Every structure is written in C-alpha cells, then in structure tokens.
Amino acid sequence: MSHSRSPLMHNHVFKTLEIDACYTRTHLCDGSKLREVFFAKALSGANITVPHKEAAFDACDEIRGIAKEIGAVNTIINENGRLIGYNTDADGFVAAIASFGPLRNALIIGAGGTAKALATVLRQNKIEPVILNRSSNRLDFFLQNGYGAYSWETFTPNSYDLIINTTSAGLSDDLLPLNASLLTQLLSQARCAIDVIYGKETPFLREVKKVGLPFKDGSDMLLEQGVLANHLFMHSTVSTDTIHPIMKESFLY
Ligand code: NDP
C-alpha cells in the first residue's frame, strides 16, 4: 500500500527543493534485523510498513510522541547514531479528517495496527472511538486501554459521527468489512466516512456513496503522514507548510 506511492511523494519533494536525498524501498524479511539493515545501509531515515511497525518500535533507542502509546512506529530517524521512532499515521489521519468538521465519536471497523493508531489519536483529540472487528482475536489492546471494543457477535449498533474502515477488506478483493445491512444502518446514522485504503473505490466506499455521506479514501491520510515523515527526514529544517503543496503535487502523476 503506502510503500507503492511513497517513493514518488518523497522524491518529488527532495527534487523540487534540491535536497540531495533519495527515498527507495527495501524488502525486510525478518523484522528483528531492522536496526542492523538500517545502519548497514547508512540510512538517515525510513518509513516502516506492515508487518514491521511493532518490530520498529522495539528497535528504536527512543520513541517520541503518540507512538509511545500506540506501540508501533512507522517513521525512524537516525539522530547522531541513535534511532528515534515516530508514528505519523496517527497525526496524518487527524489532519485528513479535519475537513469533516467537529466530530464527537467514531466507529473504527478493524482492530489491526492502523486501528490501534487511530483509536489512540482520536481519543487524544476528544473523538471517542469504538472498535468493531470481525473476530475477537485482536481486541485485547483496546479492552485493556478502556475502549469499547466488540466482535461481530458482541456488537450492538449505535450512532457514530464518523465510520472508518481500517480493515484490508476491499484492498485486493471485493469484500465489505462487515455485513451489508449493518453497514447501511451505521452509515445512515453517521455524518461522514473514510476508508484508509487509497487509490480505488472499495466496496465500503460504494456503500457510503449510496447513502450520500461526505467521504474520503486513504489518499489524504497517505499525504498527511508523508508530509510529517518528510519533515522528520529533513530534521525539521523544512516546514510542513513548505512540504505539503509540493508533496500534494506528486499525487497528480
Ligand atoms: P492489519 O493486518 O494489522 O489488520 C487488518 C484488520 O482487517 C484486522 O482487524 C482484520 O480482522 C480485518 N480484516 C481483514 N480482512 C477482513 C475482511 N474480509 N472482513 C472484515 N475484516 C477484515 O492491517 P493494518 O491495520 O496494518 O492495515 C489495514 C489497512 O490500512 C491496509 O489496507 C493498509 O494498506 C491501510 N493503511 C493505509 C494508510 C494510509 O496512509 N492511507 C496507512 C496505514 C495503513 P481479523 O482480526 O478478524 O483478522
């Protein structure tokens, strides 16, 4: 997912600002080798994608910001030989939903790494999240941290301002993240919806369109997390206000 468009996004910024840097991909088979590979390649920063975000958290010398609570890192920076870990997915998501206006609560469909990041940052922003997952397997993190968290079996529908799909349903199949009639019921009581999957109209977004809600796919989240990561890659020497329009331009290609 985000690994496919990120090189274009970051390299466009570096090229435009005439920064002598290059963003490329490395396939990491074993998460426990992350630190070793990072230093062996003499990298100054990196984004980490699924399934290594927890391993990245463990590999860092210091964790900053909301990543501490999430327990997962998607951006690492070499700061004088020390690995510093951040989570820009969370703040990127909040920036992406700002245009929806004030929200009281949200239903997060899915309970994977992205759901953890979003639940944590939503609560920090006073938007109370409830989690609904296909199985009860991954609910422990949420229950232990005091969130309302349910499996399909235990869920009782309520009304939520924002409905978020964080599952991979619709990514490379044509599946809805939950039962169609339940989803329609939830959407018809909601104010807006977002799918974190980007670049395609998922079955989830098709249902959202039918109900006529304001919606977004994951492109804005991808852009916003990328802007924050790029700012960190450049050790905060270039402002996010400068990076933002340039990185946004790369979405036209
Ligand atoms: P995980 O693998 O950690 O979690 C996947 C979740 O999806 C689980 O809760 C799983 O449920 C659920 N799920 C999978 N298939 C189905 C299905 N057919 N029906 C219902 N539920 C299903 O993934 P991540 O949280 O790391 O990533 C989720 C998505 O977010 C991916 O598509 C990823 O590409 C995207 N993403 C987008 C970003 C952006 O910038 N736009 C940034 C980060 C991620 P169960 O527990 O029952 O298996």
Side-chain angles (χ1 to χ4, degrees):
M1 268 296 283
S2 67
H3 23 272
S4 58
R5 207 185 272 195
S6 293
L8 185 63
M9 288 159 52
H10 289 281
N11 288 328
H12 183 66
V13 176
F14 295 145
K15 195 173 165 205
T16 307
L17 297 176
E18 297 180 354
I19 308 280
D20 184 17
C22 175
Y23 184 110
T24 181
R25 282 183 254 175
T26 294
H27 182 68
L28 186 69
C29 296
D30 178 357
S32 69
K33 298 272 189 311
L34 191 146
R35 198 182 161 92
E36 194 182 317
V37 171
F38 183 91
F39 285 115
K41 288 182 177 283
L43 301 177
S44 52
N47 279 139
I48 314 298
T49 58
V50 181
H52 298 310
K53 292 183 187 184
E54 276 88 6
F57 180 91
D58 294 335
C60 287
D61 295 302
E62 183 184 334
I63 305 293
R64 292 195 187 144
I66 196 164
K68 277 186 232 168
E69 284 169 66
I70 300 167
V73 151
N74 79 323
T75 303
I76 54 175
I77 305 292
N78 181 349
E79 209 176 85
N80 306 317
R82 295 180 75 238
L83 271 195
I84 315 294
Y86 300 86
N87 190 309
T88 69
D89 285 335
D91 291 327
F93 180 79
V94 168
I97 61 167
S99 61
F100 288 141
L103 301 165
R104 286 168 306 147
N105 55 15
L107 180 71
I108 300 177
I109 309 171
T114 308
K116 278 188 196 172
L118 303 199
T120 308
V121 79
L122 284 173
R123 177 176 274 181
Q124 231 181 46
N125 282 269
K126 312 253 181 301
I127 303 170
E128 192 52 34
V130 166
I131 290 83
L132 170 58
N133 196 41
R134 174 174 63 178
S135 64
S136 56
N137 296 341
R138 308 195 210 203
L139 297 182
D140 284 357
F141 168 89
F142 301 96
L143 294 170
Q144 280 160 15
N145 287 288
Y147 296 97
Y150 307 91
S151 67
W152 287 358
E153 278 90 56
T154 59
F155 182 69
T156 313
N158 212 322
S159 125
Y160 306 95
D161 286 349
L162 173 65
I163 311 289
I164 309 162
N165 178 32
T166 72
T167 75
S168 37
L171 182 64
S172 49
D173 52 41
D174 205 34
L175 297 172
L176 282 171
L178 54 90
N179 168 288
S181 64
L182 175 57
L183 181 59
T184 307
Q185 181 188 341
L186 292 164
L187 291 172
S188 58
Q189 292 175 301
R191 285 192 30 221
C192 45
I194 183 165
D195 198 326
V196 299
I197 295 172
Y198 68 86
K200 67 175 287 195
E201 188 179 79
T202 56
F204 173 79
L205 286 186
R206 281 205 292 274
E207 293 304 309
V208 173
K209 275 189 173 175
K210 280 188 208 162
V211 177
L213 285 185
F215 69 92
K216 286 186 172 197
D217 75 353
S219 301
D220 281 359
M221 177 183 173
L222 180 70
L223 168 65
E224 301 294 346
Q225 65 75 30
V227 169
L228 295 170
N230 194 274
H231 175 70
L232 294 169
F233 291 153
M234 294 199 271
H235 298 278
S236 311
T237 54
V238 182
S239 75
T240 52
D241 287 348
T242 302
I243 297 165
H244 197 282
I246 303 172
M247 193 171 270
K248 195 171 178 178
E249 231 171 50
S250 75
F251 279 65
L252 301 172
Y253 302 142

